[in-house]
């Protein structure tokens, strides 16, 4: 898609002046929409934070209002700032029409505070979560985890960043001016119907392939622009999509220097020219703007089933960075933090988890995709699936007889909230062997209650920028291995989750609960 086409698109989908997030005055007169920056939310002097989950209306499409959900605002939420070692009490007030939960994605906390699907907050009620973090500084996030409804509720906008600080991170010479040279970049694809509302449906096709949109929002805006100083700029990427893999790069080929992954800083910056990022993952990168030339952050096409429909069959620009005449003093250090060496891996307990889809769901999902997108579907299907695509068309039309809500599984079982799949001993290392063999779909696998280390990823050593602390590992038709340890307890009533973070797979059974005991 050409730049002029994007400018036409932003005139239709612009968000300037909505008041969803505070905008920078310096960009108010620019033609392009300013990148919305989520406000920072700190605990008060007593360590308390209040979050109100609320309905709202947001302007995405000119002349129309979209019904949205947010935290303390109409859409999305603030960035919570939490200090390691300090007790924080978060009061969650649910003013939504539906029950929900809030899962603290990436936080190493007890199962009782984790916010899994057992922890429903009914409408017009409140819940308080107590947190005292003992983990490295990192960029995490919070989002619903309502079983069967997670995809829908995230689509409505219910999510927000969590920024964990420690003394070591505060002393690094990297950019730290929020919204100026320290920029959150939250990427989410969406579809809109004729009335300007989010178009979301959990059906046979989305249960198999995931729900995907045809338009990208960056911090809730369409192809916005951000004025940045000249020098080093820090970008905090979050792939907040339900099902879309992103492959990020710059429009002019300048490199990213990855400084942090899901669970914290790397030992040293890693130079990359493109950055694949799966659903739920976060990466912090630094990019050099000293030449003063504007450039775009783009997402490049990926081969994931269904994800190369227009406009994503070509490079899609998601954000323009426009350097000003101002310079900053931040630098890119050669060394960031000391990442512990991997412990000895002999005599570890090995736990095997096999991710699979019911063959009937697989077949019916492919048929539904072919029916909806006949001009794009066949080449994708032959590339990703070995089966004969000449299916019995009647099977697709009898999908009411098939319970696709239990069509995705781990170790042959769909998620059962009342039956954790296994127990783990507190403080003991285990090697988890996560297999996607026999299923060529993308599965970004997330484990609650820990930050782990990737030993192998899809039958290959992890890329250097993926070898630090992680809470999501990529599984796609092969085997990935991770080294995990759980420092907190999780009871049967408040079990941890392990699941595919393609949200429609999670919502239709590719999730298991597990307990942690002494």
């Amino acid at each position: 898609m050409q730049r002029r086409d994007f400018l036409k698109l932003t005139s239709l989908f612009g968000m300037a002046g909505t008041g969803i997030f505070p905008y920078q005055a310096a960009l108010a007169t620019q033609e392009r929409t300013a990148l919305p920056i989520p406000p920072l939310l700190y605990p008060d002097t007593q360590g308390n934070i209040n979050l109100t989950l609320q309905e709202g209306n947001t302007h995405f499409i000119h002349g129309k209002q979209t019904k949205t959900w947010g935290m303390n605002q109409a859409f999305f939420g603030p960035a919570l700032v939490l200090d390691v070692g300090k007790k924080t009490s978060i009061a969650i007030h649910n003013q939504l029409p539906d029950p929900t939960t809030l899962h603290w994605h990436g936080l190493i906390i007890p199962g009782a505070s984790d916010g899994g699907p057992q922890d429903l907050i009914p409408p017009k009620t409140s819940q308080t979560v107590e947190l005292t973090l003992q983990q490295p500084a990192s960029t995490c996030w919070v989002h619903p985890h309502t079983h069967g409804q997670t995809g829908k509720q995230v689509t409505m906008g219910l999510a927000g960043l969590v920024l964990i600080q420690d003394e070591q991170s505060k002393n690094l010479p990297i950019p730290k001016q929020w919204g100026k040279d320290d920029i959150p970049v939250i990427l989410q694809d969406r579809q809109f119907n004729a009335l300007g509302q989010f178009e979301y449906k959990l059906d046979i096709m989305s249960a198999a392939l995931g729900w995907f949109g045809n338009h990208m929002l960056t911090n809730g805006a369409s192809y916005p622009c951000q004025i940045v100083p000249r020098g080093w700029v820090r970008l905090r990427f979050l792939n907040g999509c339900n099902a879309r893999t992103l492959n990020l790069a710059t429009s002019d080929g300048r490199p990213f220097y990855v400084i942090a992954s899901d669970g914290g800083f790397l030992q040293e910056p890693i130079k990359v020219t493109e950055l694949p990022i799966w659903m739920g993952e976060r990466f912090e990168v630094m990019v050099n703007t000293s030449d003063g030339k504007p450039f775009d952050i783009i997402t490049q096409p990926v081969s994931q089933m269904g994800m190369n429909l227009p406009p994503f069959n070509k490079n899609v620009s998601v954000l323009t960075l426009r350097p000003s005449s101002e310079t900053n003093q931040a630098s890119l250090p050669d060394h960031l933090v000391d990442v512990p060496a991997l412990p000895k891996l002999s005599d570890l307990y090995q736990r095997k988890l096999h991710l699979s889809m019911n063959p009937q769901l697989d077949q019916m999902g492919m048929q539904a995709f072919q029916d909806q997108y006949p001009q794009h579907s066949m080449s994708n299907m032959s590339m990703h699936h070995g089966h004969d695509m000449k299916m019995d068309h009647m099977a697709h039309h009898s999908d009411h007889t098939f319970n696709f809500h239990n069509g995705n599984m781990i170790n042959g079982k769909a998620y059962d909230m009342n039956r954790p799949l296994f127990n783990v001993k507190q403080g003991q290392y285990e090697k988890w062997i996560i297999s996607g063999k026999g299923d060529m779909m993308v599965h970004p696998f997330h484990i609650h209650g820990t930050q782990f280390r990737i030993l192998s990823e899809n039958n290959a050593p992890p890329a250097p920028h993926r070898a630090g602390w992680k809470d999501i590992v990529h599984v796609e038709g092969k085997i990935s291995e991770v080294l995990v340890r759980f420092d907190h307890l999780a009871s049967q009533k408040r079990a941890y989750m392990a699941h595919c973070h393609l949200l429609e797979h999670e919502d239709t059974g590719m999730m298991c609960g597990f307990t942690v005991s002494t």
Side-chain angles (χ1 to χ4, degrees):
M1 182 175 285
Q2 300 298 316
R3 180 183 295 268
R4 63 179 178 273
D5 297 321
F6 268 103
L7 291 174
K8 292 176 183 176
L9 195 60
T10 52
S11 70
L12 295 174
F13 290 86
M15 287 178 58
T18 61
I20 299 168
F21 300 122
Y23 287 81
Q24 296 183 43
L27 295 180
T29 60
Q30 300 293 322
E31 181 184 31
R32 291 275 300 284
T33 301
L35 177 71
I37 302 296
L40 297 175
L41 179 58
Y42 295 86
D44 64 19
T45 54
Q46 285 75 44
N48 299 319
I49 290 177
N50 280 286
L51 285 180
T52 299
L53 315 184
Q54 62 190 61
E55 296 180 282
N57 290 288
T58 303
H59 289 99
F60 296 108
I61 299 175
H62 180 68
K64 297 181 180 180
Q65 287 192 335
T66 303
K67 294 179 181 178
T68 54
W69 290 3
M71 296 187 292
N72 291 5
Q73 53 196 29
F75 181 72
F76 214 68
L80 279 64
V81 183
L82 304 179
D83 278 294
V84 170
K86 292 185 179 180
K87 183 178 179 180
T88 304
S89 178
I90 304 176
I92 306 164
H93 311 286
N94 183 12
Q95 297 300 315
L96 299 170
D98 297 335
T100 190
T101 71
L102 283 187
H103 164 53
W104 303 92
H105 184 130
L107 274 60
I108 304 175
I109 52 180
S113 304
D114 186 59
Q118 315 94 328
D119 251 344
L120 279 180
I121 311 170
K124 309 303 179 184
T125 66
S126 299
Q127 180 188 88
T128 299
V129 177
E130 306 284 348
L131 305 175
T132 304
L133 302 179
Q134 299 293 340
Q135 64 186 98
S138 55
T139 300
C140 298
W141 65 308
V142 57
H143 61 77
H145 216 298
T146 312
H147 183 47
Q149 297 290 319
T150 299
K152 177 183 177 181
Q153 294 189 355
V154 170
T155 298
M156 291 298 294
L158 200 61
L161 293 175
V162 180
L163 312 180
I164 302 174
Q165 299 184 140
D166 60 16
E167 290 305 314
Q168 194 168 18
S169 67
K170 292 177 183 178
N171 291 327
L172 287 173
I174 60 177
K176 300 188 184 74
Q177 300 176 86
W178 184 251
K180 186 174 181 181
D181 61 9
D182 182 358
I183 311 296
V185 183
I186 304 153
L187 298 168
Q188 298 174 302
D189 58 337
R190 292 289 186 270
Q191 287 189 36
F192 297 90
N193 64 20
L195 300 176
Q197 303 306 308
F198 289 139
E199 186 76 58
Y200 181 85
K201 187 177 183 181
L202 182 59
D203 57 10
I204 284 286
M205 189 177 79
S206 60
L209 304 180
W211 180 89
F212 44 92
N214 55 12
H215 183 72
M216 185 64 72
L217 299 178
T218 305
N219 294 7
S222 299
Y223 186 36
C225 179
Q226 173 71 16
I227 300 287
V228 295
R230 299 191 185 199
W232 287 106
V233 173
R234 177 183 183 182
L235 304 174
R236 303 186 192 229
F237 290 125
L238 162 63
N239 181 344
C241 301
N242 288 31
R244 182 178 297 281
T245 300
L246 305 173
N247 189 18
L248 302 178
T250 59
S251 57
D252 60 2
R254 71 182 69 202
F256 294 136
Y257 293 84
V258 184
I259 60 171
S261 55
D262 298 335
F265 287 99
L266 304 178
Q267 187 149 306
E268 61 186 16
I270 304 295
K271 181 181 179 180
V272 300
T273 54
E274 60 181 37
L275 181 64
I277 176 169
W278 281 271
M279 297 73 83
E281 286 190 316
R282 291 87 60 211
F283 283 102
E284 296 184 36
V285 308
M286 288 174 60
V287 63
N288 195 333
T289 64
S290 297
D291 61 5
K293 297 178 180 179
F295 61 95
D296 284 358
I297 305 298
I298 63 173
T299 183
Q300 302 175 126
V302 299
S303 60
Q304 182 185 343
M305 172 66 80
M307 301 303 158
N308 58 358
L309 297 172
F312 295 97
N313 57 335
K314 299 179 181 179
N315 290 344
V316 172
S317 294
V318 300
L319 173 66
T320 294
L321 295 180
R322 186 177 297 162
S324 66
S325 59
E326 181 184 0
T327 59
N328 69 1
Q329 302 303 313
S331 62
L332 178 68
D334 293 330
H335 178 83
L336 294 162
V337 299
D338 292 326
V339 177
L342 292 173
K344 293 183 179 180
L345 301 179
S346 59
D347 301 322
L348 283 180
Y349 181 81
Q350 297 188 14
R351 192 175 300 280
K352 296 182 179 180
L353 300 176
H354 183 245
L355 315 181
S356 63
M357 181 185 298
N358 184 296
Q360 188 175 356
L361 172 60
D362 192 7
Q363 184 185 55
M364 294 168 67
M366 296 305 105
Q367 182 67 65
F369 182 78
Q370 183 181 6
D371 290 349
Q372 186 165 341
Y373 303 104
Q375 69 275 34
H376 299 286
S377 59
M378 291 307 295
S379 61
N380 291 342
M381 290 182 189
S382 61
M383 177 169 56
H384 290 278
H385 290 261
H387 20 272
D388 181 4
M389 295 313 300
K390 295 179 180 178
M391 307 173 191
D392 176 8
H393 202 274
M394 293 304 293
H396 172 54
H397 293 292
S398 62
D399 58 12
H400 65 278
T401 64
F402 175 64
N403 182 9
F404 65 83
H405 295 279
N406 293 317
N408 288 296
M409 297 165 284
I410 296 178
N411 289 355
K413 298 179 181 179
Y415 174 63
D416 185 337
M417 189 181 301
N418 299 312
R419 294 185 179 181
L421 203 58
F422 52 86
N423 180 71
V424 178
K425 293 298 182 183
Q426 183 183 24
Q428 294 186 10
Y429 283 107
E430 291 189 357
K431 179 195 283 188
W432 286 20
I433 303 168
I434 307 158
S435 172
K437 284 189 172 181
D439 180 350
M440 294 305 296
M441 287 299 300
V442 170
H443 301 302
F445 197 75
H446 173 49
I447 304 173
H448 291 210
T450 188
Q451 290 287 342
F452 53 71
R453 304 284 292 279
I454 299 175
L455 304 176
S456 69
E457 192 162 38
N458 227 37
N459 282 16
H465 65 279
R466 300 181 65 83
W469 294 112
K470 292 281 294 159
D471 56 53
I472 287 180
V473 62
H474 170 220
V475 181
E476 189 172 0
K478 298 178 182 178
I479 290 175
S480 296
E481 300 173 317
V482 299
L483 181 69
V484 299
R485 188 184 71 187
F486 300 91
D487 295 331
H488 297 285
L489 301 178
S491 68
Q492 181 170 345
K493 188 177 180 181
R494 294 291 185 271
Y496 285 135
M497 301 293 109
H499 60 88
C500 177
H501 217 282
L502 193 158
L503 297 184
E504 287 69 40
H505 285 180
E506 168 191 331
D507 277 339
T508 55
M510 195 173 285
M511 177 162 65
C512 68
F514 64 96
T515 57
V516 179
S517 63
T518 56

